[in-house]
Amino acid sequence: MAAATRKVHGRIHVVVSSAELTVDQWSVLDRIAAMKGPVSMAAVAETTGLTGPSLTRAVDKLVTAALVFREVDASDRRRVLVDLSTRGVALHAELAPLVYSAESEVVEGSSTSVDELLRVLRGLTR
C-alpha cells in the first residue's frame, strides 16, 4: 500500500509542481472543488486525511497564492470555512484532467482492475 501511495504521489507531484503546488496542496484544492461551496476545515481534513497542522500549512499556501479563500463561519465562529477563488477554480479545471490521468495510468499499469481496487479500498475504510 505504501509503495502504491508513493507511486501515485510521485505522478501527481510531476503534474502539480508545474503550478508550484505540493501534493497536499493539490489534495486540498481538489477536495474543496469536489465539495462545491464553502466547506469546513474539519470536513477537508476528514476527506484528505491530513492532520490539522498539515492542513493549515497547505491552506495557508493556497490562500497566499490566491487560490482559496478562508473565512470564519458566520453561524458558528468556531468553524473556519474554505472555498476556491476564481483563480483556484481555473487552476483546478486545468490540472484535474492531468492529475486524474496520472492516477489512472498507475491503476492501469497494475494487474488489478479499478473495480477490484475500489472494493479493497472500501473494505479498508470500514
Side-chain angles (χ1 to χ4, degrees):
M1 192 65 103
T5 300
R6 282 192 301 275
K7 190 172 187 177
V8 170
H9 276 222
R11 295 278 176 91
I12 294 170
H13 173 75
V14 170
V15 174
V16 300
S17 64
S18 65
E20 298 182 9
L21 295 177
T22 65
V23 174
D24 284 350
Q25 291 163 4
W26 165 256
S27 181
V28 171
L29 194 73
D30 189 45
R31 292 296 80 217
I32 295 170
M35 293 177 181
K36 299 182 188 337
V39 62
S40 72
M41 290 277 283
V44 176
E46 185 178 316
T47 60
T48 61
L50 293 174
T51 63
S54 293
L55 176 60
T56 299
R57 207 169 19 259
V59 169
D60 286 347
K61 296 284 186 172
L62 294 170
V63 168
T64 299
L67 298 170
V68 168
F69 293 112
R70 176 177 32 210
E71 61 188 358
V72 175
D73 186 344
S75 64
D76 182 350
R77 306 231 7 112
R78 296 169 296 175
R79 287 178 15 137
V80 175
L81 303 175
V82 289
D83 199 2
L84 297 183
S85 67
T86 302
R87 184 174 175 189
V89 170
L91 183 63
H92 183 267
E94 176 186 330
L95 293 178
L98 302 173
V99 170
Y100 301 155
S101 176
E103 290 171 341
S104 293
E105 287 173 14
V106 172
V107 173
E108 289 169 2
S110 76
S111 60
T112 305
S113 74
V114 173
D115 291 335
E116 170 96 8
L117 182 59
L118 290 174
R119 185 185 61 71
V120 170
L121 291 173
R122 278 190 208 103
L124 290 174
T125 60
R126 291 186 184 141

